[in-house]
Amino acid sequence: MAKAISGTVQKAASKYADTLQEIKDELSKKCQTDKKISSLLARIQSGSGSYEDASEASRRIGSELSRIYTQKMRDAYDVNISAGTDEIDEILRQTLKHDYDTITDLSKATQENLNKTAGINMKAVAPEYNVNRTEGIISRVDEFSQRNLDAAMNELETNMVNYSMSVVDDSVKANAEYQFKAGMVPKIKRIMHGFKPCKWCQALAGTYEYPDVPDDVYRRHQNCYCTVTYTPVGSKRSQDVWSKKWGKERDFEKEQRIKAYSNQRSTVLSGGKQYHPMDPSNPRDVSAAREYRKISRNNDIARIADSSGFSREDIIQIKRHIFYDKHKKYDGEYGLLVPDYDMAVAWKRLANGKPEERDIVLLNHELLESKLEKEYNLTIAEAHATATKKYDWASRLISDLGEKGEPDGLL
């Protein structure tokens, strides 16, 4: 019996090793045959690559690894991946470690080129392997797989892409801190990008100088495409840490638009205000800014109180918080919240007396966020993160309508 058990264990171990090697081999082959990935890798390895190349390569590699892993699990074990066995978890664990090693090598090569271009005679350093992040992904995939296999696979792809791109972020942080300890003073700038920047990203946008750089500047949530930049020592030029495109400070147009919001001030709930869209070329942003101005001029407190069940005092506080108050960001600057299409649609429904359940969640979230911000002197990002733990409006919106949120044309 013992001999039979030993043979079974050896066979399972061999199957595990074979499957893991097949995953690595197939990824290596994909990196060579995929025109986009191979082009990105060639630029990086030749010394002409950028952090933009590393970030894009990490996104594509993460997506490919997710696909390869899922298919290999089905082929090798001929079982539903929701079985969640220790062996399957271990293969995922080793797959993520291989992803970390691959992206770290790309990031180090990119940093070496960055240092050379900036005239910094320093080696590139690798970020620490984040075990907690790895185990967190495994736990989430296991949890989703118990309910729905397709949902588990979607969760895996989203998390693996985010994981890959986070390795690049960790590399940026590790090298900036390494240079700071060597006597340099890196200036870090975070600029918002993406279809719909959240409050957390809005609050983080700004310029920071070491050592006063919060860790959140280097972090990203799922589907986050914010950009971090810094100015090398002895240079008047700015370099995009993720795109490595050189240019003068005035070229960062989006951040200048964001900073322009800080010039707007209001202490009353009437009279109207001027709001600017995050992206003037985006119709949703333009319509949101236009609707915010209408809302700021409307006397809708009583109607929304009646339709929502909130007191008039609470609605006044919520409206002031969203549309009038300036909020403290991580860099110490104050500014209005950027007009948000989904929030404008929700407010319009509330004013028309036809709220959805998610609109009530929004009111609860904003009210709690406002109270936390004022009572504990929090930044808007800190208050938002805490309020989200109890009233997660963004997740409810995605659950109801999908990633894009409210349909176009409602404003």
Side-chain angles (χ1 to χ4, degrees):
M1 176 65 71
K3 185 175 182 180
I5 293 176
S6 177
T8 300
V9 171
Q10 290 178 3
K11 183 177 181 180
S14 175
K15 193 173 187 179
Y16 152 74
D18 290 345
T19 302
L20 183 58
Q21 189 59 50
E22 288 173 4
I23 291 173
K24 293 180 179 180
D25 291 343
E26 188 165 334
L27 177 64
S28 178
K29 181 179 179 181
K30 188 67 177 179
C31 289
Q32 296 174 19
T33 58
D34 184 283
K35 291 184 178 180
K36 186 62 177 179
I37 295 178
S38 62
S39 176
L40 291 167
L41 298 184
R43 282 204 295 272
I44 293 171
Q45 296 304 330
S46 69
S48 61
S50 66
Y51 264 112
E52 181 181 32
D53 295 326
S55 186
E56 177 64 9
S58 71
R59 182 186 70 80
R60 290 174 178 270
I61 288 173
S63 180
E64 285 299 326
L65 262 180
S66 173
R67 180 191 62 79
I68 294 169
Y69 171 83
T70 301
Q71 190 59 52
K72 287 299 179 184
M73 289 303 96
R74 296 182 188 276
D75 293 345
Y77 296 93
D78 193 26
V79 295
N80 189 309
I81 200 169
S82 65
T85 65
D86 291 341
E87 188 176 46
I88 290 176
D89 285 350
E90 182 60 24
I91 293 179
L92 178 54
R93 185 175 291 109
Q94 294 302 320
T95 299
L96 289 168
K97 179 58 167 63
H98 181 63
D99 185 39
Y100 161 82
D101 291 338
T102 301
I103 304 305
T104 294
D105 287 344
L106 297 179
S107 298
K108 287 184 68 176
T110 301
Q111 185 66 45
E112 293 286 358
N113 185 49
L114 186 155
N115 290 346
K116 182 178 179 181
T117 302
I120 300 174
N121 186 25
M122 297 181 69
K123 67 178 182 179
V125 297
E128 183 179 354
Y129 177 55
N130 194 324
V131 176
N132 291 334
R133 185 183 293 159
T134 299
E135 296 303 317
I137 292 176
I138 294 172
S139 296
R140 285 193 293 274
V141 172
D142 280 348
E143 179 183 355
F144 271 79
S145 66
Q146 299 304 318
R147 292 177 288 172
N148 183 283
L149 179 58
D150 290 335
M153 294 305 95
N154 290 335
E155 181 73 7
L156 174 60
E157 180 174 7
T158 299
N159 278 278
M160 194 169 282
V161 169
N162 185 272
Y163 178 93
S164 294
M165 299 182 75
S166 292
V167 175
V168 179
D169 304 340
D170 292 345
S171 296
V172 172
K173 179 181 179 182
N175 282 278
E177 292 184 349
Y178 178 67
Q179 293 182 6
F180 171 69
K181 291 177 181 178
M184 300 180 183
V185 187
K187 287 186 177 181
I188 307 298
K189 179 180 286 187
R190 179 169 172 136
I191 304 172
M192 292 185 290
H193 289 297
F195 174 70
K196 186 178 180 294
C198 65
K199 285 185 185 177
W200 188 75
C201 290
Q202 292 175 25
L204 279 173
T207 302
Y208 307 84
E209 183 173 299
Y210 267 84
D212 299 321
V213 181
D215 286 341
D216 282 352
V217 168
Y218 297 105
R219 292 173 179 157
R220 66 168 68 243
H221 55 74
Q222 292 184 359
N223 302 313
C224 174
Y225 297 98
C226 289
T227 303
V228 177
T229 70
Y230 77 99
T231 302
V233 176
S235 172
K236 294 182 179 179
R237 298 178 297 175
S238 288
Q239 183 182 43
D240 188 325
V241 179
W242 291 349
S243 71
K244 201 165 173 255
K245 293 179 180 176
W246 294 94
K248 295 182 179 179
E249 295 287 347
R250 65 174 181 269
D251 291 335
F252 297 106
E253 297 177 354
K254 282 190 177 180
E255 181 167 272
Q256 296 308 311
R257 287 200 300 272
I258 296 167
K259 286 186 176 181
Y261 299 153
S262 64
N263 294 325
Q264 304 175 52
R265 183 186 301 272
S266 175
T267 57
V268 297
L269 297 184
S270 62
K273 295 176 65 62
Q274 293 294 328
Y275 296 92
H276 301 280
M278 171 61 189
D279 182 355
S281 66
N282 187 320
R284 289 168 66 95
D285 287 354
V286 172
S287 61
R290 184 172 58 245
E291 188 68 20
Y292 266 47
R293 176 163 173 76
K294 291 180 182 178
I295 292 171
S296 72
R297 296 168 63 90
N298 287 342
N299 184 13
D300 52 14
I301 301 299
R303 295 199 307 274
I304 294 178
D306 290 342
S307 70
S308 66
F310 283 68
S311 69
R312 295 191 181 191
E313 290 75 15
D314 283 346
I315 297 301
I316 289 174
Q317 181 172 346
I318 294 168
K319 185 170 184 178
R320 186 184 296 276
H321 177 72
I322 298 174
F323 302 104
Y324 297 95
D325 287 349
K326 290 183 177 182
H327 305 278
K328 183 170 69 173
K329 302 191 297 181
Y330 267 119
D331 60 2
E333 294 185 7
Y334 285 77
L336 294 173
L337 298 177
V338 177
D340 181 280
Y341 179 85
D342 295 315
M343 195 172 292
V345 171
W347 197 269
K348 183 177 181 180
R349 270 197 303 264
L350 286 160
N352 289 336
K354 300 177 181 179
E356 300 281 351
E357 288 185 10
R358 60 180 175 274
D359 302 336
I360 304 303
V361 175
L362 171 63
L363 292 179
N364 277 307
H365 174 99
E366 298 301 325
L367 181 60
L368 178 57
E369 182 179 275
S370 174
K371 291 178 178 178
L372 291 169
E373 182 184 32
K374 290 177 172 60
E375 183 174 353
Y376 298 102
N377 192 29
L378 302 179
T379 66
I380 185 61
E382 292 168 335
H384 175 73
T386 302
T388 297
K389 294 177 181 179
K390 186 171 184 180
Y391 301 109
D392 193 346
W393 172 66
S395 293
R396 178 61 186 270
L397 182 69
I398 292 173
S399 175
D400 287 355
L401 300 173
E403 289 287 344
K404 189 175 180 180
E406 299 286 354
D408 295 342
L410 296 182
L411 298 179

